Amino acid sequence: MEKASAIIQARINSTRLPGKVLKNIYNNLNSLDLIYLRLKKCMYLNKIIFAIPKSDTNLIDYLKNKNYKYFLGSETNVRDRYIKAAENNSIEKIVRVTSDCPLIDPFIVDECIKKSKKFEYISNNTPPDISDYANGSDVEVFSKDLLKLSAEIFPNSKDKEHVTFPFWDGRMKIKSFRMKKKISDKSIRITLDYKNDLIVLKKILESSKNLYINYDDIIRTYKSLRLDKYNGNYEYDAGWK
């Protein structure tokens, strides 16, 4: 089985929840720690790289102290940050994860990587309006070469910021696959974007006492604790508009 490597985009600046990626969630672990530890459980990942803006000195210091691998790139051109991070680390197949997904599930990541043998682009969260998965479980898998081709064809600022829009909005005719569920969890938020999202993530992990809690148990915990009362009013694609 051909392996892939995870590139996690992260930054300190956030208009809705400043410094969110370094905020404690569980047992002195923040979003970056949880993502790293959970991705380490993947069977088909070679490397885990954080791709961050070269201006984020606090984030650089944190990653250095934790001994996490990182790449410094453009703050505004996130797509270029991914391309350069892949080139710098000899990565051909990219697993894209964002730093607002601290409860990323390694099993789902592995399933997406396995599908990438037959497809050019695999995702469980795009297009957002028809996704079956909870917001915050987002995984995308694609090649470095496909991303470079996208950069050549679509140089506009929105695509530079959002990285993979051309792969799923119909502009690139590629062989893609969307992971599906029998029962949709689209209304559930396990992402980290607002203060109330942080409360939800803390409650899930405090209830389970397991930083490796799997996706299905996360959903059950969210429902049983009625956590929608905290963050159920936010739109799924608020950060993409």
Side-chain angles (χ1 to χ4, degrees):
M1 175 69 195
E2 182 188 1
K3 291 192 174 184
S5 293
I7 300 179
I8 305 144
Q9 66 186 75
R11 63 188 178 99
I12 287 290
N13 294 330
S14 170
T15 54
R16 289 181 283 269
L17 185 60
K20 64 182 182 181
V21 298
L22 296 182
K23 291 186 180 297
N24 179 56
I25 298 175
Y26 178 70
N27 280 0
N28 294 317
L29 300 172
N30 57 39
S31 183
L32 305 182
D33 299 321
L34 289 168
I35 290 171
Y36 181 83
L37 291 170
R38 289 171 68 87
L39 287 179
K40 289 289 283 184
K41 295 289 185 180
C42 290
M43 295 176 62
Y44 304 123
L45 276 183
N46 267 331
K47 303 172 185 175
I48 301 172
I49 311 289
F50 290 92
I52 66 173
K54 59 184 70 175
S55 58
D56 271 359
T57 54
N58 289 339
L59 197 49
I60 294 169
D61 290 342
Y62 185 81
L63 296 173
K64 274 184 181 177
N65 290 335
K66 298 292 287 193
N67 245 357
Y68 295 156
K69 291 183 179 180
Y70 63 91
F71 173 82
L72 304 178
S74 169
E75 180 170 6
T76 55
N77 191 343
V78 186
R79 182 176 59 193
D80 184 70
R81 204 191 309 166
Y82 265 87
I83 292 170
K84 296 256 181 17
E87 290 177 337
N88 189 261
N89 290 279
S90 301
I91 295 170
E92 296 301 323
K93 184 175 292 186
I94 299 168
V95 176
R96 183 188 181 211
V97 177
T98 58
S99 59
D100 52 5
C101 296
L103 297 184
I104 192 77
D105 189 292
F107 176 80
I108 295 174
V109 173
D110 277 339
E111 288 300 299
C112 288
I113 294 172
K114 284 193 285 185
K115 287 287 184 185
S116 70
K117 187 175 182 180
K118 296 182 179 179
F119 297 92
E120 294 175 273
Y121 173 71
I122 300 88
S123 169
N124 73 328
N125 67 305
T126 57
D129 56 321
I130 60 172
S131 170
D132 298 321
Y133 281 81
N135 188 357
S137 62
D138 311 354
V139 183
E140 296 172 279
V141 183
F142 48 87
S143 71
K144 176 190 67 180
D145 288 343
L146 186 65
L147 192 60
K148 290 177 72 173
L149 177 61
S150 171
E152 292 172 8
I153 301 172
F154 306 107
N156 64 77
S157 59
K158 191 171 184 178
D159 289 321
K160 290 177 181 178
E161 178 187 359
H162 295 289
V163 184
T164 61
F165 275 12
F167 295 167
W168 54 263
D169 66 7
R171 283 178 291 162
M172 290 186 79
K173 305 305 178 185
I174 57 176
K175 193 175 181 182
S176 63
F177 183 87
R178 178 173 65 88
M179 305 289 285
K180 301 175 184 177
K181 295 184 84 279
K182 290 182 180 179
I183 300 175
S184 176
D185 301 321
K186 179 181 172 181
S187 63
I188 292 173
R189 283 181 66 88
I190 55 173
T191 188
L192 178 58
D193 204 21
Y194 297 94
K195 186 176 180 179
N196 281 353
D197 291 329
L198 183 61
I199 293 171
V200 166
L201 293 166
K202 287 182 175 182
K203 287 185 177 293
I204 289 172
L205 290 175
E206 287 166 0
S207 174
S208 69
K209 295 180 172 55
N210 176 16
L211 66 90
Y212 299 109
I213 180 174
N214 66 38
Y215 178 84
D216 290 337
D217 287 339
I218 289 168
I219 299 304
R220 279 191 282 269
T221 302
Y222 185 97
K223 290 178 178 179
S224 66
L225 296 179
R226 302 289 302 275
L227 296 178
D228 60 302
K229 64 188 175 187
Y230 294 100
N231 67 357
N233 60 312
Y234 300 124
E235 293 183 15
Y236 186 96
D237 58 350
W240 289 2
K241 294 179 177 178

